[in-house]
Amino acid sequence: MAAISVRQLCVTFPGRWRKPAVQALLPLDLEVQPGAIVGVLGQNGSGKTTLLRVLAGLQDWSAGTATVLGRPPGDGILVRRVAWQPDGPPPLAMLNGREVLQWFGSQLGLENDLADARVDEWLSYFELQHASRRAVRTYSSGMQRRLLLAASLLGEPEVMLLDEPTSGLDPVGSELAMAALRQCARKGAAIVMASHHLLEVEQLCSDVLVLHEGRCALRGTLDELLGSGDRSLVVRGLAEDALPAIRAAITAHGGTLVRSEAQRQHLYALYRQLAVRPPSGTVPAVDHRGAN
Amino acid sequence: MRTLWFACRQSLLWALPATALALAVLWIGVATTGTGTPWLHVAAFLPVVASSLSAVAFWPPFATDARGAELVRRTTKGPLHGMPTATLGALLAAAACLLLLAVAASPLVPEPRAHHRLRAHERPLLDDGRIELSFALPEDCVELQLRPVVLMPRAAPEATSLQIAIDGKELAAGPVMIFGDRQLVRVPLERGSGTTVALRRISGNLPLWFDAAAVLAVDGSGPPRLLGCALAFSVWLLPLWVTLGTAMLLSRWLRQPMALVVAGVALVLQSLGQVGPATAAVTLCARGHWLLTEPIFWPCITSLGAGVAAMIAAMALRAEHRR
C-alpha cells in the first residue's frame, strides 16, 4: 500500500471581499511508496507548501482525494506517525533546545526516559549539544532548522513531510540532514520534501515532482528524468602523461573524454577540513520501544 | 505534564520580577502615604498581569501568527491545543506569587473578622413616623458599624442623633451623630453584651434608611491575618482566568501583539474598571472583613463561569472550524 496517495487533488483558497479566489493546486496525482524520497520542486508560489500542508492535515482541499497511511490526512492518529516540518522557526523559542525536543517527545507519547535518551542522541547527531541549554530564540536560523529536523525525527515517523529541510543549513548540517533522511527512508519511511536545492534533491531523492502554478509539470524517478543508461567516469589523480592513453582507451570503448582539468581541491572538502566539529556520520539508531 | 511545567516555569520567570516590583511598590507606597489599600491593589495586579501576558506570549496557539503556532496546534491534542494547560501553568505561577505577596502584606491589614449584616425587625427607616429600630445582635460581637443612607428632610437639615441600647440598656458612650450620607460610625460593644440592639432617634430631622449593609455587627475574633490576606489575593486569580479564557476565545483571529493588548485590557477592566470581584476582595480585606462571610461569593462564581463559558465557546468554535 502506498504511504501517500493523492488523486485529482485540487486546493482553492476562497476569495475575500474584492480578492479573487486562488487555485493553489490543480488536479494533482501522487503516490509515494514506503522508503521513497520524493523531492517537490517548483518556483515560489507553485503549490509545494500547500501540498505538504494538505498531507499534514492542515489544509482543506476542494476536490479529489488524499490519504496518508490509508487515512485522511487530518486524522488525529497520524500526528504521531507523520512528521511535518514547516518552513519557519521552531515553536516555544523561550525554552532551550533540549526542552523543546523534550516537549515534542512528550507530545509524541514517548516515555520521559526514552524521550530524553533520544533527545540526547539527536542533539548530539545534529551537533547542538553545546547549545542545548540555550534559549532557542538565540539560535541561528541554521541551528533552528537542525532542531526542527531533530524534532521531526524524534518519533521515528512513517511519513515525513519536510518543507525546505536544508534551507539555511551549512554544508555539514546539510550532509547530516541528508544522511538522517536516507536512513529513515531505508527503514521504510516515506519522505516528501519541498526544496529549492536541486543538487541535494538529486543526491537524496528517488523521485521528483515539479510543480508549476499548481500543476504537475514533471514527475518521475530521477533515473527516468535524468537518464541512467550511459555511464560517466570521474577519475582523480591522473598523471599528465597518462591522459593520451586514457583518452584512446575511452574512445576505443565508444565514449568521449569531455574535459580534463588540473586537479584542485573541492571547496567542500576544504570546508570539511576546517570545520571545528566534523560530522560523525552516525545516525542515531533508536528502537521503537516505549513509543505509543 | 511537560507543557504544564514549562508554562508554569515561564510564567514564574515573568511573574517573580513583577512580584518583587509589587513588594517594592507596597513597601514604598505604605511608607510614604500611610495607607495600604491602593498599594495592595497595585501589588496584586502586577504578578497577575505578568502571568497572564507570559502565557499569551509563551504558548503559540494563543495567537495566529506566533512562532511555530501551526506546528504546536498540529502536535497537541484537544480542540484548544494545550491552551488550558498553559492557563493552568499561569494560574499556578500567579498563585505562588500572590501567596508570597499575601505573606508580605498580612501585617499591613487588620485582623479579618466576620461582619454580620443586621436586618431590622421593622421597615428600616428612621424618620418622623418611626423613631426606633431594633435588630437581632449575634453573639460574640465587639463592634457595631452604622453606615445609613441619609434621605432629604422636610425642613432645614439637622444632624440626627441616635441613642443605642443593647437589650434595652443604653450605652454609656452616649448618642452618636449622623450628618452625612453613608457616614461610617463605629460603636464598640462589650463582648456578649446582649441579643438585641435598638437605635432610637433622639434629635435631628435627617431621615435614615438602613439598607442591607447599613448595620454591621463585627465578631470579636477571626482567622489569622495571613489567611484573610491569602484569600483576598487568591480572588485575583479569577481575572487571570477570565482573561486567558477570553484570549482562548479570540485566539483564532488575533495576532500576538493584539492578543497581548486584549489580555492587558481585560485585566485593566477587571481591576481599575472593577468588573468582577478582585478589587472588592482586596478592599474588604484591607477593611478587616473576613471574606467568607461577605457576599462576594456570587461575583466570584460569575467570573469563574465567564471564564468557563469563554473556554467552552472557544472549543465550540475550534470544533466548528475543524469541520
Side-chain angles (χ1 to χ4, degrees), chain A residues 238-247:
Chain A
L238 279 181
E240 188 67 32
D241 54 1
L243 200 59
I246 296 291
R247 186 192 303 273

Short mmCIF file of all heavy atoms in Angstrom, two decimals, chain A residues 238-247:
data_model
loop_
_atom_site.label_atom_id
_atom_site.label_comp_id
_atom_site.label_asym_id
_atom_site.label_seq_id
_atom_site.Cartn_x
_atom_site.Cartn_y
_atom_site.Cartn_z
N LEU A 238 45.25 11.60 -11.90
CA LEU A 238 45.99 11.09 -13.06
C LEU A 238 47.25 11.92 -13.30
O LEU A 238 47.23 13.14 -13.15
CB LEU A 238 45.13 11.19 -14.32
CG LEU A 238 44.09 10.09 -14.56
CD1 LEU A 238 43.39 10.37 -15.88
CD2 LEU A 238 44.77 8.73 -14.63
N ALA A 239 48.27 11.24 -13.74
CA ALA A 239 49.46 11.97 -14.18
C ALA A 239 49.17 12.54 -15.57
O ALA A 239 48.38 11.97 -16.33
CB ALA A 239 50.65 11.03 -14.23
N GLU A 240 49.79 13.69 -15.87
CA GLU A 240 49.51 14.39 -17.13
C GLU A 240 49.82 13.51 -18.33
O GLU A 240 49.06 13.49 -19.32
CB GLU A 240 50.38 15.67 -17.16
CG GLU A 240 50.09 16.60 -18.31
CD GLU A 240 48.70 17.25 -18.23
OE1 GLU A 240 48.22 17.51 -17.10
OE2 GLU A 240 48.09 17.46 -19.30
N ASP A 241 50.92 12.73 -18.25
CA ASP A 241 51.32 11.95 -19.43
C ASP A 241 50.44 10.71 -19.64
O ASP A 241 50.52 10.06 -20.68
CB ASP A 241 52.80 11.53 -19.32
CG ASP A 241 53.06 10.79 -18.01
OD1 ASP A 241 52.09 10.61 -17.23
OD2 ASP A 241 54.22 10.39 -17.77
N ALA A 242 49.57 10.41 -18.70
CA ALA A 242 48.69 9.24 -18.88
C ALA A 242 47.44 9.61 -19.68
O ALA A 242 46.69 8.73 -20.10
CB ALA A 242 48.27 8.68 -17.52
N LEU A 243 47.24 10.91 -19.89
CA LEU A 243 45.99 11.36 -20.49
C LEU A 243 45.76 10.82 -21.91
O LEU A 243 44.65 10.33 -22.20
CB LEU A 243 45.96 12.89 -20.48
CG LEU A 243 44.61 13.53 -20.63
CD1 LEU A 243 43.67 13.07 -19.51
CD2 LEU A 243 44.71 15.04 -20.62
N PRO A 244 46.75 10.84 -22.80
CA PRO A 244 46.50 10.32 -24.17
C PRO A 244 46.07 8.86 -24.15
O PRO A 244 45.17 8.47 -24.90
CB PRO A 244 47.86 10.51 -24.85
CG PRO A 244 48.53 11.60 -24.10
CD PRO A 244 48.09 11.45 -22.70
N ALA A 245 46.73 8.07 -23.34
CA ALA A 245 46.39 6.65 -23.30
C ALA A 245 44.97 6.44 -22.79
O ALA A 245 44.21 5.63 -23.32
CB ALA A 245 47.38 5.91 -22.39
N ILE A 246 44.60 7.21 -21.78
CA ILE A 246 43.24 7.10 -21.22
C ILE A 246 42.23 7.53 -22.28
O ILE A 246 41.20 6.88 -22.49
CB ILE A 246 43.11 8.00 -19.97
CG1 ILE A 246 44.04 7.50 -18.85
CG2 ILE A 246 41.67 8.05 -19.47
CD1 ILE A 246 43.67 6.19 -18.24
N ARG A 247 42.53 8.65 -22.97
CA ARG A 247 41.62 9.15 -24.00
C ARG A 247 41.41 8.08 -25.07
O ARG A 247 40.27 7.84 -25.51
CB ARG A 247 42.19 10.43 -24.63
CG ARG A 247 41.24 11.11 -25.62
CD ARG A 247 41.98 12.18 -26.41
NE ARG A 247 42.60 13.19 -25.57
CZ ARG A 247 41.97 14.28 -25.13
NH1 ARG A 247 40.71 14.47 -25.44
NH2 ARG A 247 42.61 15.16 -24.39
#
